[in-house]
């Protein structure tokens, strides 16, 4: 083919100069060495990348077991967090209930709230929107049966106590006291 392209005379000169070296002409059937080297290098790089991916997949498989442990730890922590939140809300609700109960006992003029709480059926008292349901009935029963727990006596008005000079209808002036009668 080269002989046909160059002609007989030129072809003989070229072959004479080249000696035993061969010339390849690319007619679409052959791949030049530079292109072959380029493709071969790309193949080698892809093989290395594939080997790296296989190694990474093996590591991921090993780490997947660790991830399963990690997921279990996360689930345990989430359950613990939920339990802690529930406990916290329960304590807050108990504090609200105790505060409302203490206020209600003070309003009922209780002398000793601890003693009175021991007599109450707390399970039947519920806090609903800031109001204690079921307490009033129990307090009324206890006022009848154990009235000593309550300060039910009120000081009547106009009894002549300190600062209240209205008893007896006559006003007493403390400055008109006769000191000579004491001699």
């Amino acid at each position: 083919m080269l002989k046909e392209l160059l002609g007989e005379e030129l072809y003989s000169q070229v072959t004479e100069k080249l000696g035993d070296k061969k010339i390849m002409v690319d007619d679409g059937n052959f791949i030049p060495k530079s292109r072959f080297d380029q493709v071969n290098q790309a193949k080698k790089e892809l093989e290395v990348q594939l080997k790296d991916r296989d190694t990474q997949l093996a590591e991921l498989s090993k780490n997947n077991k660790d991830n399963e442990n990690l997921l279990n730890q996360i689930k345990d922590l989430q359950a613990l967090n939920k339990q802690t939140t529930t406990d916290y809300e329960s304590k807050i609700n108990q504090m609200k209930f105790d505060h409302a109960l203490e206020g209600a006992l003070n309003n009922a003029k209780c002398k000793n709230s601890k003693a009175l709480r021991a007599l109450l059926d707390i399970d039947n008292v519920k806090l609903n929107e800031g109001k204690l349901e079921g307490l009033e009935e129990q307090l009324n029963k206890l006022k009848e049966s154990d009235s000593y727990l309550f300060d039910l006596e009120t000081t009547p008005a106009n009894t002549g106590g300190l600062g209240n000079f209205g008893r007896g209808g006559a006003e007493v002036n403390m400055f008109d006291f006769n000191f000579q009668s004491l001699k």
Side-chain angles (χ1 to χ4, degrees), residues 23-87:
I23 298 175
M24 294 186 77
V25 176
D26 184 10
D27 64 350
N29 292 328
F30 294 101
I31 299 173
K33 173 127 174 68
S34 62
R35 177 71 181 138
F36 173 78
D37 290 342
Q38 185 182 14
V39 170
N40 196 27
Q41 183 63 30
K43 177 188 169 260
K44 287 179 183 177
E45 288 176 8
L46 287 173
E47 286 175 348
V48 168
Q49 288 178 4
L50 184 61
K51 188 176 180 181
D52 288 344
R53 297 299 178 265
D54 288 343
T55 304
Q56 289 174 352
L57 285 173
E59 288 177 17
L60 283 174
S61 294
K62 277 194 272 184
N63 291 339
N64 192 20
K65 293 176 186 172
D66 293 340
N67 285 343
E68 195 172 306
N69 291 338
L70 182 61
L71 289 174
N72 288 337
Q73 288 178 352
I74 289 172
K75 287 179 184 177
D76 291 344
L77 289 174
Q78 287 173 335
L80 180 63
N81 188 23
K82 189 173 184 178
Q83 182 63 39
T84 303
T85 302
T86 304
D87 291 347

Side-chain angles (χ1 to χ4, degrees), residues 109 151-168:
K109 298 183 180 179
D151 189 15
L152 299 176
E153 300 173 15
T154 57
T155 308
N158 202 14
T159 60
L162 190 59
N164 188 355
F165 301 109
R167 186 170 183 172

Side-chain angles (χ1 to χ4, degrees), residues 65-172:
K65 293 176 186 172
D66 293 340
N67 285 343
E68 195 172 306
N69 291 338
L70 182 61
L71 289 174
N72 288 337
Q73 288 178 352
I74 289 172
K75 287 179 184 177
D76 291 344
L77 289 174
Q78 287 173 335
L80 180 63
N81 188 23
K82 189 173 184 178
Q83 182 63 39
T84 303
T85 302
T86 304
D87 291 347
Y88 175 75
E89 289 173 355
S90 175
K91 286 180 183 178
I92 292 294
N93 289 337
Q94 185 63 42
M95 287 173 52
K96 287 179 183 178
F97 177 80
D98 289 343
H99 180 69
L101 182 61
E102 194 65 33
L105 294 178
N106 285 338
N107 288 341
K109 298 183 180 179
C110 169
K111 289 183 180 179
N112 186 342
S113 61
K114 285 184 183 180
L116 188 58
R117 282 183 92 152
L119 296 174
L120 291 174
D121 184 9
I122 299 293
D123 293 336
N124 289 334
V125 178
K126 303 292 180 210
L127 181 65
N128 189 10
E129 297 179 15
K131 294 182 180 181
L132 292 170
E133 296 175 354
L135 178 67
E136 190 67 31
E137 298 83 24
Q138 291 186 44
L139 287 177
N140 288 337
K141 288 179 183 176
L142 287 172
K143 283 180 184 178
E144 291 175 13
S145 65
D146 298 308
S147 61
Y148 62 91
L149 291 171
F150 298 91
D151 189 15
L152 299 176
E153 300 173 15
T154 57
T155 308
N158 202 14
T159 60
L162 190 59
N164 188 355
F165 301 109
R167 186 170 183 172
E171 290 192 28
V172 178

